[in-house]
């Protein structure tokens, strides 16, 4: 019976550790992307994928000023 090579076990454990680290980085990047998209939706003039921005016409802009007290 041959004795198992201890370096194989260390290499396997290192590969598992690297895989777990890469998965955690992926989760963090997904969270960061969601936060950036949420913040972009709050910023005026930002282009958010999947949404259409409404740019007011000149008449709509003037309409908002016409009702100001003199």
């Amino acid at each position: 019976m041959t004795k198992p090579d201890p370096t194989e076990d260390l290499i396997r454990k290192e590969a598992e550790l690297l895989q777990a680290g890469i998965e955690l980085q992926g989760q963090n990047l997904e969270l960061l992307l969601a936060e950036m998209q949420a913040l972009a939706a709050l910023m005026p003039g930002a282009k958010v994928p999947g949404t259409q921005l409404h740019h007011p016409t000149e008449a709509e802009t003037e309409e908002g000023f016409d009702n100001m007290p003199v």
Side-chain angles (χ1 to χ4, degrees), residues 37 40-43 45-55:
Q37 289 173 340
L42 298 176
M43 295 172 61
K47 295 181 181 177
V48 180
T51 61
Q52 292 181 346
L53 295 175
H54 172 70
H55 297 289

Side-chain angles (χ1 to χ4, degrees), residues 16-42:
E16 290 172 0
L17 183 62
L18 285 171
Q19 182 180 3
I22 290 170
E23 288 175 5
L24 287 173
Q25 285 182 347
Q27 291 174 357
N28 288 335
L29 290 173
E30 288 175 6
L31 177 62
L32 179 61
L33 176 62
E35 290 174 348
M36 290 172 61
Q37 289 173 340
L39 287 172
L42 298 176

